Amino acid sequence: QGQLVESGGRLVQAGGSLRLSCVASGRTWVSYAMGWFRQTPGKERELVAAINWNGDTTNYAESMQGRFTISRSTDKNTVFLQMNSLRTEDTAVYYCAADISDTHLKSGGRAAYWGKGTLVTVSS
């Protein structure tokens, strides 16, 4: 079974920057789309950003566009999320996900693989 492990979440001050990493292992990932989602208590998990199998197409949620950047390593096994100009409302558990279908990945709950999440806390 494939495994995704996130890292990089921590406490950061509003206006600051943070970089999250997700390392995929346990199988071949070259044909998989990958992405980041986030969730806070009482709210549904929402898409943050997604990247296709070869890294040449990206998608962002409107509130993250211009502030966050998703990228992928050449070997396709690692995905990054660079977060700039962080706001208190960005506080959430951030999850890495993967699916062979771009459409399924962007549908959130339909993604085939999920990490356990990493907590990002943005303070005033």
Side-chain angles (χ1 to χ4, degrees):
Q1 189 75 29
Q3 184 178 34
L4 305 176
V5 180
E6 306 96 335
S7 63
R10 62 175 177 87
L11 175 66
V12 64
Q13 192 173 44
S17 298
L18 197 62
R19 190 189 192 217
L20 305 182
S21 298
C22 173
V23 178
S25 62
R27 61 155 297 126
T28 300
W29 299 94
V30 295
S31 62
Y32 280 72
M34 301 181 75
W36 291 93
F37 295 78
R38 70 184 186 186
Q39 188 170 31
T40 57
K43 293 186 177 182
E44 293 185 345
R45 188 172 299 183
E46 64 175 343
L47 173 70
V48 175
I51 189 165
N52 74 338
W53 69 273
N54 68 358
D56 64 358
T57 302
T58 58
N59 295 99
Y60 299 91
E62 184 176 349
S63 63
M64 294 81 166
Q65 207 155 31
R67 299 190 298 121
F68 294 2
T69 302
I70 189 171
S71 60
R72 192 167 183 173
S73 63
T74 303
D75 65 9
K76 309 296 187 293
N77 294 331
T78 307
V79 64
F80 305 96
L81 183 68
Q82 178 66 46
M83 303 185 290
N84 299 323
S85 301
L86 284 164
R87 307 163 182 169
T88 55
E89 56 261 42
D90 293 320
T91 295
V93 175
Y94 284 72
Y95 297 89
C96 181
D99 199 284
I100 198 165
S101 167
D102 291 4
T103 300
H104 288 174
L105 175 67
K106 290 185 286 186
S107 295
R110 299 177 69 183
Y113 298 92
W114 291 91
K116 293 184 180 296
T118 185
L119 177 63
V120 173
T121 303
V122 184
S123 64
S124 301

